[in-house]
């Protein structure tokens, strides 16, 4: 177990999440390997996004939500009172379903988060301009926007906006990036670009992606978790393992039905 | 899919009734167009009434009939300077003539200045004997002239605009020809500045708290319900509140006494400060509701994006919520300012002066405002005061429009930066 800890980025132990008195997610146990892409798939309403959002305490923005159990990030329980969600969310970044660039310039979209978290230039460290360029390059957007950095982030196309949101997330130097159906609002070509990007980013970052699209999960992920819901509509994890195994030799009948398109 | 076969064999029967549906559609369209038209007509009538009163013929009785001063059949308007000086010499007392020469020798003045002296000191217009509206002046000019000629042989009739630079810059006066709205404009501006300075920060702050921080518990729901109800409370109630709190209880503060400013004219707290604070309270609910609406319209995805980068709640509000809500906030500010600048009743209750001739000098001065001035003038029996009331209404409209134009320009600057 102790040798595993270095490779485990996030671990959920007996995680239950409630909205008011309704239990949305029950008894989730999983560990996410670092510098891998982990996909969470499952039918609508099975709590995939809820689980994802519990990894950077984004659920707390919903007033009625609360959780039981533990989520360990780098071995530390993030629901511990000593953990500041502000710092946690810098280290566990998030990309949302709908591209949501800020109503600022392209440059500011990237620079804002860095500045917010006390970005210091100089002393052999990159300047803000260099850092913005680096992040935009990492997000495969630099060539398309380098001549119009002062234009509004909202002037870009949907796919470009989503990559801008990824660049913005990279700018605060996170360790884990949570992606909540990042390509579901995009056309196939833009989707492909985002998927390529995920593979490249996995060399440096841990990526957890929620997706409706099983082909996408099969294409980009190293590990796949399959979620479903039981009779009282609480989501739970059915099966978790390497993607190749989930898609070729599922252990559970429900997983097999889902990936072959027989339900969900 | 499991329906019995017989349901599929018979297709449902539709009765489209298209002509009736289309007729209904066009009837409703006409109803809405009619509503708009009625609104536009009302607005046009309002403006027409005001303008109709502001411009028109005025008959002023003179001590000396200008026609009697004509030389060789030329009326005084066409005489040259030397002839005018002679007329002055013949018609005023020697002492008065010497005084005029001492001020500035008449020969060295321009012809227009000399003509003005003739009008002021020889003709001496002194009493308005009749005023006519714009429409009357245009359509029955002849009849009016004949009528005046018969009744007041000395009188001169001229087309007058009651709103002119002199009207805007003169203080209040009991003489309708001298009276102006300077005091009232300054009073209104002072009060509106105090209202803005107090109401904007408090209103925006309260709206931010209620939208972004307050949890959904019974206390906050109670506060919210109260704010919504307060927006509909008649303004005179706020006047009584202002009278009780700002004028009576906080009298030493609002009259400036505790700051050592003991002006005997600032009658016990009935000051600009009291009026500004009362109007600030009056517009607060309206402002809060509008700002809340604007904040609620900022998409939640923007907040999430900000939190997701490790922003605190305040950073999220300051950098994303407020800039994106700014156009809506300014719209709320415009509505509130418009409401406050036109309020009369609460100011009457807290004791606005109806007749002051000196300019307000600061927050501790007595005051009057444009609506109060208008109200006071319209309640006078003399026709000519109704004319200057109409002129004051035009001034109020212009003042209101220019304040709003400023806010609208600001709003458009913000709105250009966002495009969802």
């Amino acid at each position: 177990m102790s040798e595993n800890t270095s490779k485990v980025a996030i671990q959920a132990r007996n995680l239950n999440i409630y909205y008011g008195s309704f239990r949305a997610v029950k008894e989730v146990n999983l560990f996410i390997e670092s510098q891998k892409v982990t996909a969470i798939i499952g039918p609508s309403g099975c709590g995939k996004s809820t689980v994802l959002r519990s990894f950077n305490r984004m659920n707390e923005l919903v007033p009625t939500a609360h959780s039981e159990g533990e989520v360990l990030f780098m071995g530390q329980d993030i629901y511990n009172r000593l953990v500041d969600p502000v710092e946690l969310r810098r280290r566990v970044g998030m990309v949302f379903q709908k591209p949501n660039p800020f109503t600022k310039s392209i440059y500011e979209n990237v620079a804002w988060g860095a500045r917010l978290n006390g970005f210091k230039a100089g002393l052999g460290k990159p300047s803000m301009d260099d850092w913005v360029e680096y992040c935009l390059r990492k997000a495969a957007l630099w060539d398309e926007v380098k001549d119009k950095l002062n234009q509004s982030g909202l002037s870009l196309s949907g796919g470009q906006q989503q990559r801008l949101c990824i660049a913005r997330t990279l700018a605060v130097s996170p360790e884990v990036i949570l992606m909540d159906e990042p390509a579901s609002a995009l056309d196939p070509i833009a989707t492909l670009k985002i998927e390529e990007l995920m593979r490249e980013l996995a060399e440096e970052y841990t990526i957890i992606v929620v997706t409706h699209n099983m082909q996408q999960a099969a294409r980009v992920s190293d590990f796949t978790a399959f979620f479903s819901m039981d009779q009282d509509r609480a989501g739970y994890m059915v099966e978790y393992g390497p993607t190749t195994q989930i898609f070729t030799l599922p252990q559970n009948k429900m997983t097999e039905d889902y990936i072959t398109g027989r339900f969900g | 899919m499991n329906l019995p076969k017989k349901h599929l064999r018979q297709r449902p029967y539709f009765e489209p009734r298209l002509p009736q549906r289309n007729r209904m559609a066009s009837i409703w369209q006409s109803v809405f167009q009619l509503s708009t038209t009625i609104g536009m007509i009302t607005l046009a009538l309002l403006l027409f009434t005001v303008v109709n009163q502001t411009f028109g013929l005025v008959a002023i009785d003179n001590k000396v009939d200008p026609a009697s001063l004509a030389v060789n059949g030329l009326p005084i308007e066409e005489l040259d300077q030397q002839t005018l000086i002679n007329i002055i010499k013949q018609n005023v007392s020697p002492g008065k003539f010497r005084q005029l020469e001492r001020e500035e020798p008449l020969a060295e003045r321009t012809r227009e200045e000399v003509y003005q002296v003739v009008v002021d000191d020889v003709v001496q217009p002194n009493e308005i004997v009749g005023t006519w509206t714009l429409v009357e002046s245009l359509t029955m000019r002849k009849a009016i002239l004949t009528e005046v000629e018969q009744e007041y042989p000395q009188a001169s009739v001229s087309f007058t605009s009651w709103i002119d630079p002199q009207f805007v810059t003169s203080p209040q006066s009991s003489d309708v020809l001298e009276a102006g709205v300077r005091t009232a404009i300054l009073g209104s501006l002072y009060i509106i500045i105090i209202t803005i300075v107090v109401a904007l920060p408090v209103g925006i702050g309260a709206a931010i708290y209620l939208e972004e921080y307050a949890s959904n518990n019974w206390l906050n729901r109670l506060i919210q319900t109260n704010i919504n109800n307060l927006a509909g409370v008649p303004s005179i109630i706020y006047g009584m509140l202002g009278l009780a709190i700002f004028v009576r209880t906080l009298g030493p503060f609002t009259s400036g006494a505790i700051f050592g400013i003991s002006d005997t004219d600032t009658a016990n707290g009935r000051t600009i400060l009291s009026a500004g604070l009362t109007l600030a309270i009056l517009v607060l609910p309206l402002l809060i509701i509008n700002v809340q609406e604007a904040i609620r319209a900022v998409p939640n995805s923007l907040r999430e994006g900000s939190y997701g980068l490790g922003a605190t709640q305040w950073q999220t509000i300051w950098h994303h919520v407020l800039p994106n809500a700014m156009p809506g906030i300014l719209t709320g500010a415009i509505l509130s300012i418009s409401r406050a600048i036109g309020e009369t009743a609460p100011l009457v209750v807290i004791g606005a002066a109806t007749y002051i001739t000196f300019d307000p000098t600061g927050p501790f001065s007595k005051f009057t405002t444009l609506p109060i001035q208008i109200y006071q003038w319209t309640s006078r029996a003399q026709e000519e005061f109704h004319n200057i009331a109409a002129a004051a209404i035009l001034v109020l409209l212009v003042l209101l429009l220019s304040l709003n134009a400023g806010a609208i320009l600001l709003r458009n600057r913000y709105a250009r930066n966002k495009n969802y």
Side-chain angles (χ1 to χ4, degrees), chain B residues 151-165:
Chain B
E151 289 184 32
Y152 307 94
Q154 312 256 50
S156 55
V157 180
S158 61
F159 190 84
T160 309
S161 158
W162 289 98
I163 183 168
D164 58 9

Side-chain angles (χ1 to χ4, degrees), chain B residues 49-120:
Chain B
T49 317
V50 173
V51 170
N52 196 24
Q53 292 255 337
T54 311
F55 304 95
L57 286 174
V58 176
I60 299 173
D61 201 8
N62 302 306
K63 198 168 165 212
V64 175
D65 181 9
S68 72
L69 297 172
V71 177
N72 303 332
L74 281 175
I76 54 169
E77 287 91 345
E78 292 168 25
L79 293 175
D80 64 24
Q81 182 153 5
Q82 195 49 51
T83 324
L84 288 172
I85 294 175
N86 287 339
I87 291 175
I88 297 171
K89 206 171 206 167
Q90 288 157 16
N91 287 282
V92 302
S93 66
K96 176 73 184 169
F97 189 74
R98 272 200 303 280
Q99 187 200 334
L100 286 169
E101 284 283 6
R102 215 172 31 249
E103 281 167 10
E104 195 183 347
L106 288 168
E108 288 172 24
R109 303 192 190 188
T110 63
R111 193 204 156 269
E112 278 65 39
E113 283 170 342
V114 175
Y115 175 72
Q116 196 57 47
V117 171
V118 173
V119 171
D120 288 347

